[in-house]
């Protein structure tokens, strides 16, 4: 199937701390989606214009507002929102190599830590052998139970392939994972802190002499695809190109319904989230403010999306809707559809990674 290519210009701003509730093991089919308010005036299908951040108003239970107009005073945005992420100061620094392990003839690999937003975040880094500096890629992984996750556990194929192709690859463990600092509010805050961790990773890489500071890309899969959307929105221009594999929805309500609200085992988390934002039906503005789709107009960097037609965790329609919304906002997006592939690519993964690498090369070399 031929890719759909979107390369238009204009729009408002892509950024939204999409509900970072990961694509986990196959979830029960949610059935037909109930009627609900549109996301910030953008239908779930992705049509229509997106509002600017200045036009956004949060009507969450906290009573905060993000309405902004020249010459008027504003209150602070809801802390669980993309406007709050945009308003933050990011200070990623202190990248430190730990023990070596997993090195090959093409690259050396180490455990790593860096600092950002008052936290220590762990990860793994692969550094090509030879003379640098090199372009770099940050990888944002999909959902793994933090209690079971170990350092650098996922996206091994991507890390190996890209490092062999001459990229420094920094895999982010996220807060609450492996040796990273704890954040007790991560779930209730829709895991928007993962976006901070990825942005701070890129800033820490920029300070490393082995990395070309203005040649950093981002690759995420599943839940990490939602992190990709948010990072491009929150800090346009930081990542010169980004790729999302089998990503979650860019509408936070889709993710909340699929993995939290309809799961009896997560009723406690659902109550905490609703206490912060209200229900999607009662507080559509607040939910629009945590949905990346609302802010797609902020995106300035090219994006590639890969999705299989038989994805059992993240329906391909989510990416179709996301691409439609990006196109409506005039963003540069390349969309590849893989007939018969499920959530974790198998047979067509080699094709997808070749496409990913060619895309990154075009923008980072």
């Amino acid at each position: 199937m031929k890719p759909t290519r979107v390369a238009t210009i204009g729009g408002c701003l892509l950024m939204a701390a999409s509900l970072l509730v990961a694509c986990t093991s196959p979830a029960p089919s949610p059935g037909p989606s109930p009627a609900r308010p549109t996301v910030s005036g953008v239908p779930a299908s992705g049509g229509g214009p997106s509002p600017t951040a200045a036009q956004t108003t949060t009507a969450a239970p906290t009573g905060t507002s993000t309405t902004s107009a020249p010459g008027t005073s504003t209150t602070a945005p809801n802390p669980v929102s993309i406007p709050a992420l945009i308003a933050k100061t990011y200070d990623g620094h202190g990248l430190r190599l730990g023990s070596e392990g997993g090195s090959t003839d093409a690259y050396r690999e180490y455990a790593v830590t860096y600092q950002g937003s008052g936290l220590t975040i762990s990860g793994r880094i692969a550094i090509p052998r030879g003379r640098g500096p090199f372009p770099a890629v940050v990888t944002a992984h999909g959902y793994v139970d933090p209690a079971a996750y170990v350092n650098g556990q996922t996206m091994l194929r991507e890390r190996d392939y890209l490092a062999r192709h001459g990229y420094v690859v920094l895999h982010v463990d996220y807060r609450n994972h492996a040796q990273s600092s704890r954040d007790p509010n991560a779930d209730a805050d829709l895991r928007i802190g993962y976006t901070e961790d990825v942005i701070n990773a890129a800033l820490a890489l920029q300070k490393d002499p082995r990395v070309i500071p203005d040649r950093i890309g981002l690759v995420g899969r599943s839940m990490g695809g939602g992190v990709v959307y948010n990072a491009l929105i929150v800090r346009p221009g930081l990542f010169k190109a980004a790729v999302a594999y089998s990503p979650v929805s860019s509408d936070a309500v889709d993710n909340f319904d699929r993995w939290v609200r309809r799961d009896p085992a997560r009723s406690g988390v659902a109550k905490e989230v609703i206490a912060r934002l209200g229900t999607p039906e009662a507080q559509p503005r607040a939910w629009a403010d945590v949905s990346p789709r609302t802010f797609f107009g902020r995106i300035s960097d090219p994006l590639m999306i890969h999705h299989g037609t038989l994805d059992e965790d993240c329906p391909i329609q989510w990416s179709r809707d996301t691409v439609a919304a990006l196109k409506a906002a005039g963003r540069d997006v390349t969309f590849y559809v893989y007939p018969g592939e499920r959530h974790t690519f198998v047979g067509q993964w080699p094709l997808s990674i070749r496409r990913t690498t060619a895309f990154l090369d075009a923008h980072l070399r």
Side-chain angles (χ1 to χ4, degrees):
M1 182 173 295
K2 294 183 178 180
T4 299
R5 173 73 178 177
V6 179
T8 50
I9 301 174
C12 327
L13 155 55
L14 173 256
M15 139 69 311
S18 94
L19 182 64
L20 301 181
V21 200
C23 286
T24 60
S25 320
S29 174
S33 299
R36 66 171 185 264
T38 59
V39 175
S40 188
V42 182
S45 63
S50 301
T52 63
Q55 295 171 322
T56 301
T57 302
T58 301
T62 57
T64 58
S65 172
T66 58
T67 301
S68 177
T72 64
S73 61
T74 62
T75 56
N78 189 318
V80 185
S81 71
I82 290 179
L85 283 176
I86 294 170
K88 283 180 176 287
T89 298
Y90 296 89
D91 61 349
H93 66 283
L95 186 71
R96 299 184 66 177
L97 303 187
S99 59
E100 183 173 359
S103 296
T104 71
D105 60 343
Y107 58 84
R108 302 182 73 174
E109 185 169 308
Y110 304 85
V112 70
T113 59
Y114 61 92
Q115 310 298 311
S117 300
L119 302 177
T120 297
I121 303 300
S122 64
R124 290 198 73 80
I125 193 167
I127 304 171
R129 296 182 186 272
R131 186 174 181 178
F134 305 97
V137 174
V138 176
T139 57
H141 67 79
Y143 179 80
V144 178
D145 181 357
Y149 179 93
V150 297
N151 172 246
Q153 179 175 345
T154 66
M155 299 187 73
L156 305 179
R157 297 181 299 182
E158 291 84 355
R159 189 161 72 239
D160 177 76
Y161 192 99
L162 292 170
R164 290 182 181 278
H165 200 72
Y167 287 96
V168 170
V169 184
L170 175 56
H171 178 91
V172 178
D173 286 338
Y174 304 135
R175 60 193 64 194
N176 294 345
H177 292 69
Q179 288 73 53
S180 296
S181 298
R182 304 298 99 177
D183 177 1
N185 298 317
D187 282 349
D189 290 347
L190 305 181
R191 301 175 184 163
I192 62 173
Y194 296 177
T195 300
E196 293 185 65
D197 300 339
V198 164
I199 289 172
N200 282 323
L203 295 176
L205 280 173
Q206 285 185 331
K207 300 174 178 66
D208 191 285
R210 289 161 289 213
V211 173
I212 304 173
D214 62 348
R215 302 291 178 87
I216 300 177
L218 177 60
V219 177
R221 73 172 330 277
S222 193
M223 177 185 71
V227 176
V228 167
Y229 297 156
N230 292 343
L232 294 181
I233 291 165
V234 175
R235 282 295 175 271
L238 177 60
F239 298 99
K240 301 306 180 185
V243 179
Y245 276 85
S246 309
V248 295
S249 178
S250 57
D251 180 345
V253 181
D254 288 336
N255 302 316
F256 181 63
D257 283 347
R258 186 168 180 84
W259 288 293
V260 181
R261 187 152 60 163
R262 292 174 181 161
D263 184 353
R266 307 204 69 198
S267 60
V269 174
K271 289 178 182 178
E272 289 182 317
V273 171
I274 289 171
R276 282 166 166 75
L277 295 177
T279 65
E281 295 77 19
Q283 299 293 344
R285 181 72 266 163
W287 284 86
D289 275 357
V290 293
S291 296
R293 191 176 305 174
T294 308
F295 304 92
F296 276 164
R298 279 182 61 90
I299 294 177
S300 64
D301 309 292
L303 172 65
M304 175 177 284
I305 298 174
H306 303 282
H307 216 126
T309 60
L310 297 184
D311 193 318
E312 68 279 15
D313 289 340
C314 298
I316 191 173
Q317 189 59 44
W318 286 356
S319 284
R320 295 190 192 280
D321 291 344
T322 291
V323 169
L326 286 163
K327 180 177 180 180
R331 303 303 89 186
D332 182 349
V333 57
T334 302
F335 182 34
Y336 285 106
V337 173
Y338 296 83
E341 282 290 353
R342 301 178 72 85
H343 189 60
T344 300
F345 283 25
V346 180
Q348 297 177 78
W349 185 82
L351 172 61
S352 74
I353 195 64
R354 288 196 300 270
R355 287 169 167 171
T356 289
T357 306
F359 174 74
L360 294 173
D361 285 351
H363 297 285
L364 301 181
R365 296 209 185 258

